[in-house]
Every structure is written in C-alpha cells, then in structure tokens.
Amino acid sequence: MTMHSTTQPHSFSQTWQTLASTRLLMVTLLATGTASNLVYAHTPLVAFAAISGAMLTRRRAIATALLIWLINQSVGFGLRGYPLTGVAFTWGALMGLGTLLVAVIASWRPKFSRASWSGHCLWMAIAVLGGFTLYQGMILLAFPLLASGHTMSWNIVVGLLVKQLIWAGAITLGYSLLLWRRLMIFVR
C-alpha cells in the first residue's frame, strides 16, 4: 500500500499549488528559457513570462521571467555582440519591463484558473494573448522613437505572435503532462 492510497485524492487546486511551489518547475523553465537562446536571438519572453505567471507562485514567476530576460540580455550583449549603445540598452530595459509586467499580471490567476484544469488552461491562453498584446504594444509605442531606420510591419508582429504561441504551447504541453502525472499519483 502506498502512502497516498490511504489519503483522500487531492483536488486540482491542491495539486496545482504543490507543483507551483516546487523548485523543479522553476529550474526546468529557467533551463528551457536559457536553451531557447540557442534557437532564437530573441527568447520568447512573453511565453515564458505568461506561462511562468500562470504556473508558479508569484515570487517564483517574477524571478524566473526576469532571470530568463537577464540571461537573454547577457547572451545578446556578451556573445552575440549587441552594440553597447543607449538605444540597445533602452530596448533591453523595455523588454525587461514588459517581461516583468506580463509575469505579474499572469500571476494574478483569477479564481476560475485555480479551480479546474479547463480554467487553468483558459487562464494560460488569456495570459499569453494578453501578455503579447501588452508587451508588443509597448514595443510598438517605443518603436518610432528607437527604430533607427528599421521598420515594423504587421507580418513581423504576426510572426512574433506565432513564435510566442508555439513556445507557450510546448511549455504548456510539458507542464500539463507533469500536472496530470501528479494528479494521477494522488488518485491511486
């Protein structure tokens, strides 16, 4: 007889809270966010911030999102040779602020998102789409001032959205499998 077989099965809310407090999830997100620098010059910060906010405790979500941003900036300026200019640092700071805001807002987690699997998935989708709107809105507002000759078309914005959605979907899939596994352990 296992330790859990004599206890009442955990609810979704209890299982989610237990998983949100583990270091495993935070470390996995940090490792994945760091590895994303190998795939893209620009880490999908919205996906990581929004999903971290929906999955982790607020403090861990903010720390995870900001560490992923900081690693991305370190790789950019240290290894990729981003120019050490005021404009480049301003872009980096704007990206950091956007990442922070997305993580904070996503970590709000309304009651429906904590009560059921479907509510949780709905909140993750809302967090990613709303986070992208906020983050990209900030970028588009600053773009005319900081663009220095570059252009930003709707094709580029749609491409960025698709990238965020793919990453958010992949992270959510892995997380869902982990959450499902935890729920099944407690049901036995």
Side-chain angles (χ1 to χ4, degrees):
M1 183 181 317
T2 66
M3 181 175 94
H4 299 293
S5 64
T6 59
T7 62
Q8 200 65 8
H10 278 207
S11 69
F12 175 84
S13 179
Q14 291 169 316
T15 304
W16 169 80
Q17 288 174 357
T18 301
L19 190 56
S21 299
T22 66
R23 284 195 180 126
L24 170 68
L25 199 50
M26 183 179 178
V27 169
T28 301
L29 286 167
L30 281 170
T32 306
T34 300
S36 74
N37 282 290
L38 300 173
V39 179
Y40 294 108
H42 301 287
T43 296
L45 295 171
V46 170
F48 282 101
I51 298 300
S52 293
M55 292 181 351
L56 300 171
T57 62
R58 177 170 281 153
R59 180 179 288 172
R60 287 177 188 236
I62 291 168
T64 300
L66 289 179
L67 283 170
I68 290 170
W69 166 80
L70 183 61
I71 291 166
N72 177 256
Q73 294 301 295
S74 299
V75 168
F77 286 107
L79 299 177
R80 294 186 193 268
Y82 290 176
L84 302 176
T85 64
V87 170
F89 288 124
T90 302
W91 274 120
L94 186 64
M95 292 165 58
L97 177 61
T99 301
L100 173 64
L101 289 173
V102 171
V104 167
I105 291 169
S107 68
W108 169 57
R109 289 183 303 276
K111 191 173 184 174
F112 74 85
S113 73
R114 293 174 271 145
S116 70
W117 192 290
S118 59
H120 194 59
C121 288
L122 176 62
W123 179 247
M124 286 193 286
I126 291 168
V128 170
L129 292 172
F132 181 79
T133 302
L134 171 68
Y135 184 93
Q136 200 59 44
M138 290 174 55
I139 298 295
L140 289 173
L141 285 173
F143 196 80
L145 303 171
L146 301 172
S148 62
H150 294 90
T151 60
M152 175 76 73
S153 69
W154 285 109
N155 289 341
I156 292 172
V157 174
V158 169
L160 293 170
L161 175 61
V162 168
K163 179 174 103 172
Q164 300 295 335
L165 293 174
I166 289 170
W167 276 89
I171 297 165
T172 299
L173 180 61
Y175 166 71
S176 294
L177 291 171
L178 185 60
L179 186 59
W180 176 79
R181 183 174 172 260
R182 287 244 174 175
L183 280 166
M184 293 299 106
I185 288 172
F186 288 117
V187 169
R188 284 190 215 160

